[in-house]
Amino acid sequence: MTKSRSSLPKVSRRQLLTGAAAGGGLLVAWWAWPRSYDPPLAPSEGEEGFGAWLTVGTDGVVTIAVPQLEMGQGVTTLLPQIIATEMGADWRQIAIVPAPPSGAQPNIPLAAKWAPLWSIAPDLAGQPDGWLPERFARRNRFTATAEGLSLEAYEADCRKAGAAARAMMAMAAAQEWGVAWEEVVISAGLVRHGEKQARFGELAAVAAQMTPPDPPPLRPSAPAEDPREFTGETLTAFPRLDLPAKVDGSLTFAADIRLPSMLYASVRHGPIGQPELARFDEEAAAKVPGVASIIKAKRWIAVVAENWWQAEQGCKALRPRFSGPGAVSSITIDEQMDDALSEGEAQRVHEIGEPDGLVGAPTMARAYSIATAHHASIETSCATAHYTEGKLHLWIASQAPEAARAAAADAIGISIDDVVLYPVAAGGSFDARLEKTHAIEVAQIAEQLGQPVQLTWPRAEEMKSLPPRMPVVIQLAAKLSPGEQRTPEHWQTRIACPPGTFEFGYRLFNNNTPEAAIRNASAKMDALACEGAVPPYAIPNVSVDHVPVELFLPTGRLRGNAYGYTAFANECFVDELAHGLGRDPLLYRIAMLGDDQRMAIALRRAAQLGGWDGGRPGTGQGIAMLRMETPSANSWSSDGYIACVARVRMVEGRPQVSSLHAVADIGRIVNLDLARQQIEGGLLFGVGLAMGSSAVWQNGQPDPSRLAGMNIPTLANAPEVTVDLIASDAPPFDPGELGVAVAPPAIANAFFALNGERIQSLPLFDSGMLNEAEPEEETEGGGEQSGPEGVEQSEEPAASPDDTAPNDQEAAEPA
């Protein structure tokens, strides 16, 4: 990737994220770093470059290149902590910089998990320790941030990088002092041998010439924090590096970029199902003060002005109208989902034992309906671009930065090598920043303007045009064993939902438009969309079937993903089985676990922490549990466990969650404070999914379309959250999505205990229970209404929607 920045102002990487000091220096990391890959961290003046991960400056500051997007989860603390621990650096001398995509820092486990989306041989490419996912990830600079796999993907490399740097420092000191390098001790940022000592900066130039041992000398134990050793106000030995910049406002997010002569753009897209721009009032928009230009494409129209507010007012004045086959509505979606569940052709995803041995009527059968769910991140889609001298400079917060680069390049017909991407932090994402439509749009706007421009989507456009989590209907049936235990011996799951993971894959890897992705994914069996459907219990006979549903509503990934709805159905169903038998839901679950001691311990501790009293009627107390898996280099059995006790109440006639008490076992904990933050944040996100975060689709528009109407928890009504972590020597598990999936069923079960009403839909309450959103202006939606009146008509049948974002050609099937 080109590093030319001759026509642009210099942006200091250390202005983005720093620890206690700023500086640079010895580039260390991969002692056998492949020379064919672009360096993610190039040395500056006073630096010595040796690899892909870190530098040490003459002032002793260690700067670490982080290949993952910081979006609030703390990855810019987690990975540097591992390097600093192995290296023996003082935490106060660590600085960090977001790294552009490079084949030197690939996310191989994620490439393996997503192999069905890019490979013609997913069984072979799906092995995390295989050569196929590594080859794909390196060649495609695949550094995507998703699925909680940052630690799995990068811990080993970070340890090696830190250990190699430590060895090189020791060698430099040993050469000067005339001793064996193995006798040199490095800790707290100091290099010592007896009475002699030196700082990193004093050794940087000499150490840069050393060749470390292969393999590097790792410390005996991997980085870990024991929750039993951190009490009171001491939450971790490694506080977050990005917090000071976030507190004082200096951290650079996508919307914070400022360049000389920069203009600002707002945009309008058509309603879902009517994507093609038909007409607009250009004259009215041009009269808005500050408007500099109007840029239109086949699927959108943007107004460029001196500031964003002027651009937004220009968009309102445009009153754009769009046409297409027909705008989607929730009524039609619900009908399609119900028809698919009852009559659709199912495909087997998982089976255990004799799954089809359920003879006769099941003991119990229930259906659970899950509506679309929206990301609702604080920062909407935003990117800045400058097209100059044949190169596109792109500032963007992207979970898949190389895909964003490629899409922007294709959009304006240039080589990907002529796109310079500057990664910045995201103001929340929840997987929203895996999408790249705004990268395409800002590239096309910048090319036409010839000067810097920042595109920011209004909230209503974000809600409408960013694919939500798919709607799902899940039918469960169980037959219980005879005798005293009465636990399930047969369990059948039938999931009706779009093959949303494949839709996402066609957009990400093939640059399909949403409509083309839906067509290409049609009828595919989507195992990733059914994750977590196998219940975490010792049930001898289990089947999971997927019924693909083709909707006209594009769908995408959202924090929690499939576990966010499969755990809801499973845990609500188990709760109903327990209550139907007159059993304590806690004890019934423990009886079903078999020999899963880790889950049993988490359940018992959560019950104790939450003051579980059996979930008796009127108590408003519910319980749920979850086991999640992530791929590891040796197997697919790196597990995370969580159990949660929820309490609910009615306040002035409105339902409210009063408390959540959760216990999690996530194996070895690298950073205790980050783990707690992730689980606490996930639980609150789960409260949002349970109580709101959904919308009804009317004429291709979501309602509500603003945060105020989604009943998202606020400081005023957020529940009390208590999280306890279990000390464990098991492999580490990323906890970011555990709370998201376990909170909704715990809350639903609590409402049953409160009033005896069993809720089998998510969110739990209809829009009448939510906060009332402000009505949309007619021009905000920007689209025609569906139906015989108001649809933009033409004498010829409507053209097929644009299938590939940058050019109007049909998208190919993935290789």
Side-chain angles (χ1 to χ4, degrees):
M1 182 177 67
T2 179
K3 298 295 182 182
S4 173
R5 305 179 187 178
S6 58
S7 62
L8 297 174
K10 286 189 176 181
V11 178
S12 169
R13 51 189 163 96
R14 294 174 187 85
Q15 291 175 351
L16 299 178
L17 302 171
T18 59
L26 169 66
L27 187 58
V28 180
W30 238 314
W31 57 98
W33 177 43
R35 295 294 177 180
S36 60
Y37 301 123
D38 298 325
L41 180 59
S44 300
E45 184 178 354
E47 296 177 341
E48 302 286 346
F50 286 86
W53 277 95
L54 63 103
T55 68
V56 178
T58 55
D59 57 1
V61 173
V62 180
T63 303
I64 297 171
V66 180
Q68 298 280 272
L69 174 65
E70 177 61 66
M71 45 191 172
Q73 84 279 36
V75 71
T76 49
T77 294
L78 187 70
L79 299 185
Q81 175 188 341
I82 297 167
I83 293 177
T85 301
E86 278 290 343
M87 189 178 179
D90 189 296
W91 192 236
R92 293 170 296 180
Q93 70 185 117
I94 300 297
I96 46 182
V97 57
S102 168
Q105 295 175 309
N107 190 336
I108 298 171
L110 183 60
K113 182 166 186 179
W114 285 358
L117 310 183
W118 58 264
S119 175
I120 59 174
D123 291 339
L124 294 176
Q127 301 301 317
D129 56 348
W131 66 272
L132 277 176
E134 179 176 1
R135 180 184 180 190
F136 169 84
R138 291 194 186 279
R139 293 184 64 178
N140 293 278
R141 301 185 183 97
F142 185 73
T143 60
T145 309
E147 300 274 9
L149 291 177
S150 296
L151 192 62
E152 177 63 34
Y154 295 107
E155 183 179 34
D157 285 345
C158 287
R159 292 193 68 191
K160 292 174 184 177
R166 172 166 44 85
M168 296 169 77
M169 287 289 181
M171 290 175 176
Q175 177 176 286
E176 180 179 341
W177 298 335
V179 299
W181 74 267
E182 294 88 349
E183 299 175 0
V184 175
V185 176
I186 302 179
S187 64
L190 294 174
V191 184
R192 299 185 180 93
H193 184 274
E195 298 297 322
K196 299 176 181 178
Q197 73 173 30
R199 300 181 181 277
F200 286 178
E202 299 167 4
L203 302 171
V206 176
Q209 309 304 316
M210 299 295 172
T211 301
D214 184 8
L218 299 177
R219 296 186 184 275
S221 300
E225 292 187 335
D226 190 327
R228 295 168 296 190
E229 298 176 2
F230 290 84
T231 58
E233 296 182 358
T234 304
L235 301 177
T236 176
F238 299 89
R240 291 184 66 144
L241 293 176
D242 57 341
L243 277 186
K246 286 181 175 178
V247 170
D248 66 20
S250 62
L251 182 64
T252 303
F253 295 97
D256 294 326
I257 297 297
R258 295 293 181 269
L259 300 174
S261 304
M262 189 174 79
L263 297 174
Y264 300 81
S266 188
V267 69
R268 290 294 186 273
H269 310 90
I272 303 302
Q274 294 182 316
E276 297 185 7
L277 181 64
R279 64 178 188 268
F280 52 92
D281 192 341
E282 184 170 5
E283 183 178 348
K287 293 178 180 178
V288 174
V291 168
S293 183
I294 297 172
I295 310 292
K296 59 181 182 293
K298 186 175 182 179
R299 303 171 62 87
W300 53 269
I301 186 167
V303 175
V304 182
E306 295 173 3
N307 61 55
W308 186 84
W309 182 249
Q310 292 171 335
E312 174 65 8
Q313 299 311 303
C315 281
K316 291 182 178 181
L318 275 175
R319 298 178 61 84
R321 293 294 181 265
F322 294 80
S323 65
V328 302
S329 71
S330 289
I331 294 176
T332 303
I333 291 172
D334 293 343
E335 291 174 351
Q336 290 177 284
M337 298 296 295
D338 291 341
D339 290 346
L341 184 67
S342 59
E343 302 175 8
E345 182 177 347
Q347 302 178 54
R348 181 60 48 89
V349 179
H350 299 289
E351 61 180 31
I352 299 172
E354 299 180 3
D356 297 320
L358 197 160
V359 179
T363 306
M364 182 180 290
R366 294 290 185 269
Y368 298 87
S369 177
I370 293 90
T372 58
H374 296 262
H375 302 81
S377 59
I378 294 176
E379 185 183 40
T380 60
S381 298
C382 179
T384 301
H386 185 202
Y387 184 72
T388 178
E389 299 179 356
K391 295 185 182 296
L392 179 71
H393 299 264
L394 179 63
W395 289 260
I396 192 169
S398 175
Q399 291 179 247
E402 189 65 4
R405 270 184 86 210
D410 288 347
I412 58 177
I414 63 174
S415 167
I416 190 173
D417 293 329
D418 290 326
V419 178
V420 183
L421 187 144
Y422 304 83
V424 293
S429 176
F430 317 122
D431 280 351
R433 302 302 159 235
L434 285 166
E435 302 292 338
K436 48 193 170 61
T437 303
H438 60 304
I440 294 169
E441 293 171 355
V442 77
Q444 293 175 326
I445 295 170
E447 181 196 29
Q448 294 194 43
L449 286 179
Q451 66 186 98
V453 60
Q454 183 174 97
L455 170 66
T456 303
W457 285 13
R459 177 66 62 184
E461 293 301 306
E462 174 97 348
M463 294 283 290
K464 173 180 61 180
S465 302
L466 193 66
R469 188 186 68 186
M470 70 189 75
V472 185
V473 180
I474 302 177
Q475 181 175 287
L476 298 178
K479 185 175 182 180
L480 303 185
S481 62
E484 183 178 345
Q485 288 295 324
R486 298 287 287 158
T487 56
E489 61 179 10
H490 285 87
W491 181 290
Q492 293 182 344
T493 302
R494 181 179 171 91
I495 302 177
C497 69
T501 313
F502 282 99
E503 282 184 41
F504 159 75
Y506 281 112
R507 294 194 303 268
L508 181 69
F509 295 111
N510 295 70
N511 210 27
N512 277 192
T513 60
E515 295 80 14
I518 290 172
R519 291 198 303 273
N520 289 331
S522 176
K524 286 184 179 290
M525 186 271 287
D526 193 343
L528 289 175
C530 299
E531 275 192 306
V534 176
Y537 298 101
I539 302 174
N541 307 293
V542 177
S543 66
V544 176
D545 294 329
H546 176 219
V547 180
V549 184
E550 184 174 348
L551 302 176
F552 293 111
L553 175 70
T555 59
R557 299 180 62 78
L558 181 106
R559 186 179 184 184
N561 292 299
Y563 283 97
Y565 46 81
T566 56
F568 174 76
N570 286 343
E571 286 301 286
C572 289
F573 190 60
V574 168
D575 210 72
E576 192 160 356
L577 287 172
H579 280 285
L581 294 169
R583 303 277 292 276
D584 182 319
L586 167 67
L587 299 179
Y588 189 66
R589 283 175 168 84
I590 292 176
M592 293 172 60
L593 286 175
D595 59 357
D596 192 342
Q597 294 299 312
R598 293 177 69 185
M599 190 73 257
I601 292 172
L603 266 172
R604 291 186 183 278
R605 285 182 59 168
Q608 182 179 12
L609 185 68
W612 177 255
D613 64 359
R616 293 178 292 104
T619 61
Q621 194 178 61
I623 195 168
M625 52 159 271
L626 173 68
R627 183 180 71 230
M628 294 181 71
E629 298 179 353
T630 59
S632 67
N634 300 312
S635 68
W636 293 80
S637 59
S638 176
D639 297 340
Y641 300 79
I642 191 169
C644 179
V645 173
R647 285 185 182 271
V648 301
R649 59 187 178 183
M650 299 298 291
V651 178
E652 297 180 352
R654 295 176 60 83
Q656 187 176 91
V657 182
S658 56
S659 68
L660 296 170
H661 291 81
V663 173
D665 179 348
I666 58 172
R668 172 171 55 87
I669 302 170
V670 177
N671 187 298
L672 187 60
D673 194 31
L674 286 179
R676 283 202 181 98
Q677 290 174 21
Q678 283 289 81
I679 295 174
E680 289 170 356
L683 289 168
L684 289 174
F685 195 88
V687 173
L689 292 177
M691 307 298 286
S693 294
S694 187
V696 175
W697 292 87
Q698 299 176 350
N699 298 319
Q701 307 278 5
D703 180 28
S705 62
R706 302 187 189 281
L707 295 184
M710 298 186 70
N711 207 34
I712 297 173
T714 66
L715 290 176
N717 61 14
E720 172 195 353
V721 176
T722 305
V723 173
D724 189 18
L725 294 168
I726 297 175
S728 174
D729 294 327
F733 180 89
D734 185 283
E737 300 188 343
L738 285 172
V740 177
V742 79
I747 294 168
N749 294 336
F751 275 112
F752 172 76
L754 180 68
N755 56 24
E757 179 184 359
R758 183 62 70 177
I759 305 173
Q760 294 165 338
S761 60
L762 193 65
L764 305 177
F765 305 99
D766 60 32
S767 58
M769 301 289 290
L770 303 178
N771 294 326
E772 196 166 320
E774 296 178 23
E776 289 291 325
E777 296 182 41
E778 181 185 3
T779 54
E780 288 269 343
E784 297 289 352
Q785 304 299 304
S786 61
E789 295 183 10
V791 178
E792 185 72 15
Q793 301 287 343
S794 62
E795 295 182 1
E796 298 294 329
S800 175
D802 188 10
D803 289 336
T804 54
N807 52 52
D808 295 335
Q809 300 175 357
E810 180 70 20
E813 293 282 347

